[in-house]
Amino acid sequence: MRSHVGASRTRVAVLPAAHPAVRRITGLAWSGHVELVPVRPGVVNGESHPGTYVKGPAPILDRDLEHVDVAHVHFGYDYLDPESARDVTEHLSRAGVPMVLTVHDIVYPSHEDSQPHRGNTGTLVGAASQVLTLTEVAARELWVRWGVESMVVPHPRLLDEAEISSAVRASKHLRGDGDTIVGVLLERMGENIEGPELLDLLAPVATGRRGAHLRIVVEAQAWRDACGEDRESGGHHLVAELAAEGGWESVRLIRYEARDLGPVLAEFAALDVCVLPYRFATHSTWLELCRDLGVTPVLPAVGFLREQWFDRCDPDEHSGEVYDPRDPGTLTWAVRTAIDEPRSAPPRVEGADPTKIMAAHEQVYRMAARTRKASRNGA
């Protein structure tokens, strides 16, 4: 371990650092015992991909891995074929850098064919010195699939108190008294998202409801790619056309940049309800944004979304409605219930406290680093 200002510090390469959830974890680096170093996925095997979250313009160089005690992989390996995933683990092994892996997604949320991602996950799980995941049910799934015991570290909050307060204050200027605002998260409009046709299913929600507004939340580049719209026109007329039959008083597109949600936080906080129309998923960062901002999610009965939202809570006492994606009628019922029977969001579990999250990571990093130190001393 490196010596820093007279103290022993564990130097951790975080791959990658630009995803909001990972930024929050790296932002918790209050400890004087850990130094978190942001890196892009391509550092470890010379590959990169536009669909991954990367940190630029100057990530640490490949040769600097010899000065790193631990590598922590979160996201960014979904584009690799199994051979490339093995290259990553072999490269880190040759460099003598133990790997910590956080499994956010067992079923990757952008690929209908889950086999490549599961193959990569299996490769990385097998090579990791410690595996982390977000929920107890995901930990059980990792044991069933790969026989690995994983540590459960709950999803961190994405926003601090100042960010939440600022977003909520600004949101009050985006809605009128008596308004009901329903958001639909189309995200990157990938294979796992039901897509614009879902808007037709929401039409009955606005029927007979005064002050009902619809907001379409979509990643900006994905929308431009899908609709062929330039940045200026933004496709607003297409959104209005898709939702015109719903009787909404207004329909508006909310575009966000993949690595910067800051500009749309007020818009998101103005929502009463947000529909997450996943066809398949494991966990969702958007659920945590809903929790931070007090937005009621309407989520499908897929993956471990329900367990993530209601972790150790009674669903009857808190916000959040679950629908069956195979039965369109349940979506309308779930949105109506979320609007008409508002409740508070489930509290975060005790282990999601920022100090405890960082303490758990620090413990894992130092244990992994000790294995590197021991192997070097035995060489």
Side-chain angles (χ1 to χ4, degrees):
M1 287 179 276
R2 301 182 71 213
S3 176
H4 185 81
V5 196
S8 177
R9 305 188 76 191
T10 305
R11 196 165 191 253
V12 182
V14 182
L15 292 87
H19 187 279
V22 183
R23 277 206 306 267
R24 177 55 59 193
I25 291 172
T26 58
L28 297 176
W30 50 267
S31 170
H33 302 296
V34 174
E35 179 184 357
L36 299 178
V37 184
V39 241
R40 66 175 181 227
V43 165
V44 294
N45 71 335
E47 296 193 28
S48 189
H49 187 274
T52 61
Y53 292 93
V54 296
K55 173 78 173 179
I60 65 170
L61 300 176
D62 186 282
R63 63 177 178 272
D64 287 342
L65 284 176
E66 64 186 60
H67 302 298
V68 167
D69 298 300
V70 180
H72 189 171
V73 177
H74 290 264
F75 299 94
Y77 60 90
D78 53 283
Y79 63 90
L80 299 173
D81 58 36
E83 290 73 20
S84 295
R86 282 193 291 272
D87 288 344
V88 171
T89 61
E90 290 171 1
H91 188 109
L92 290 173
S93 178
R94 286 194 298 271
V97 178
M99 181 180 66
V100 173
L101 175 69
T102 294
V103 180
H104 294 255
D105 300 297
I106 296 174
V107 176
Y108 197 71
S110 295
H111 301 157
E112 191 162 16
D113 181 3
S114 63
Q115 291 307 311
H117 178 77
R118 288 184 178 178
N120 292 347
T121 303
T123 297
L124 295 171
V125 161
S129 63
Q130 177 66 60
V131 176
L132 311 179
T133 193
L134 306 178
T135 57
E136 294 287 350
V137 65
R140 291 195 294 272
E141 183 74 5
L142 288 168
W143 171 255
V144 170
R145 286 188 176 277
W146 293 291
V148 62
E149 292 188 9
S150 53
M151 175 185 291
V152 176
V153 180
H155 203 299
R157 64 188 305 171
L158 298 179
L159 307 176
D160 59 32
E161 292 297 337
E163 291 170 315
I164 293 172
S165 178
S166 176
V168 171
R169 285 198 309 271
S171 72
K172 294 179 181 178
H173 302 288
L174 300 174
R175 56 180 300 144
D177 293 338
D179 281 352
T180 297
I181 304 181
V182 176
V184 179
L185 177 66
L186 296 189
E187 209 173 36
R188 297 182 189 175
M189 300 176 68
E191 295 171 340
N192 70 317
I193 296 292
E194 288 293 348
E197 63 273 11
L198 181 90
L199 302 179
D200 293 335
L201 301 178
L202 293 175
V205 172
T207 302
R209 190 183 297 271
R210 297 184 61 184
H213 304 265
L214 182 65
R215 302 291 180 256
I216 314 300
V217 185
V218 64
E219 197 272 324
Q221 186 58 54
W223 182 261
R224 290 192 290 270
D225 291 345
C227 301
E229 300 287 345
D230 59 35
R231 186 181 296 273
E232 286 70 31
S233 65
H236 291 279
H237 66 280
L238 180 56
V239 172
E241 180 181 338
L242 287 170
E245 296 181 1
W248 304 98
E249 288 199 12
S250 73
V251 178
R252 189 150 52 79
L253 189 71
I254 301 174
R255 295 181 300 164
Y256 66 92
E257 299 298 334
R259 285 175 284 168
D260 186 13
L261 297 178
V264 299
L265 288 180
E267 294 271 18
F268 203 88
L271 303 178
D272 294 290
V273 173
C274 186
V275 179
L276 279 61
Y278 294 123
R279 294 173 53 224
F280 49 89
T282 304
H283 302 109
S284 174
T285 300
W286 292 95
L287 278 179
E288 302 309 320
L289 191 62
C290 286
R291 199 188 311 267
D292 284 347
L293 294 174
V295 176
T296 298
V298 172
L299 53 140
V302 299
F304 308 136
L305 300 181
R306 187 181 188 278
E307 289 81 2
Q308 178 186 347
W309 181 252
F310 293 115
D311 196 355
R312 292 166 238 184
C313 291
D314 183 350
D316 292 333
E317 297 180 358
H318 297 284
S319 68
E321 298 297 332
V322 181
Y323 72 95
D324 183 349
R326 300 167 298 180
D327 183 355
T330 63
L331 174 61
T332 303
W333 173 87
V335 174
R336 282 175 168 165
T337 302
I339 294 170
D340 297 335
E341 301 177 16
R343 295 186 291 271
S344 61
R348 295 189 181 279
V349 296
E350 183 180 354
D353 175 85
T355 58
K356 292 185 178 181
I357 287 178
M358 195 58 227
H361 282 84
E362 180 181 333
Q363 177 187 5
V364 169
Y365 295 151
R366 292 181 70 84
M367 289 176 59
R370 279 199 292 269
T371 64
R372 184 184 195 190
K373 185 177 180 181
S375 64
R376 282 182 167 180
N377 292 339

